[in-house]
Amino acid sequence: MVYEKIRGIISEQFHIDEDDITMDTSFREDLNADSLDLVELIMALEDEFELEVDDDDVEKINTVGDAVDYIKRIIE
């Protein structure tokens, strides 16, 4: 469920097909995300899951899998 929601957000934000997004997809390397892209993505995730990502943790979220694991830890 978390993974599917995140894939939807990433697909919309980066204009790519959800089928091209895997747990190993890197925001910087695979999606060529810059700092602004990542800030917008984190804000979208915070809105979707009604949580706040700590600034220190943002640096640790490099792949889709990292984002899924982080959100699952917070909401479960």
Side-chain angles (χ1 to χ4, degrees):
M1 180 93 172
V2 171
Y3 176 54
E4 288 78 14
K5 284 185 178 183
I6 291 175
R7 275 178 47 171
I9 292 168
I10 293 168
S11 171
E12 191 174 302
Q13 209 166 10
F14 291 93
H15 310 289
I16 61 171
D17 194 302
E18 282 188 39
D19 294 335
D20 295 333
I21 301 167
T22 69
M23 291 286 278
D24 295 324
T25 300
S26 166
F27 297 117
R28 289 180 184 86
E29 292 167 23
D30 298 322
L31 302 178
N32 297 314
D34 60 22
S35 300
L36 181 59
D37 292 328
L38 294 174
V39 167
E40 290 174 349
L41 176 62
I42 295 296
M43 287 171 43
L45 295 175
E46 288 176 332
D47 287 346
E48 177 67 33
F49 294 98
E50 298 179 355
L51 52 82
E52 190 169 322
V53 178
D54 189 49
D55 289 341
D56 294 337
D57 293 331
V58 170
E59 298 297 319
K60 300 174 191 164
I61 300 175
N62 298 305
T63 66
V64 173
D66 293 341
V68 170
D69 292 342
Y70 180 82
I71 290 171
K72 280 185 175 179
R73 272 198 317 270
I74 290 180
I75 63 175
E76 292 179 349

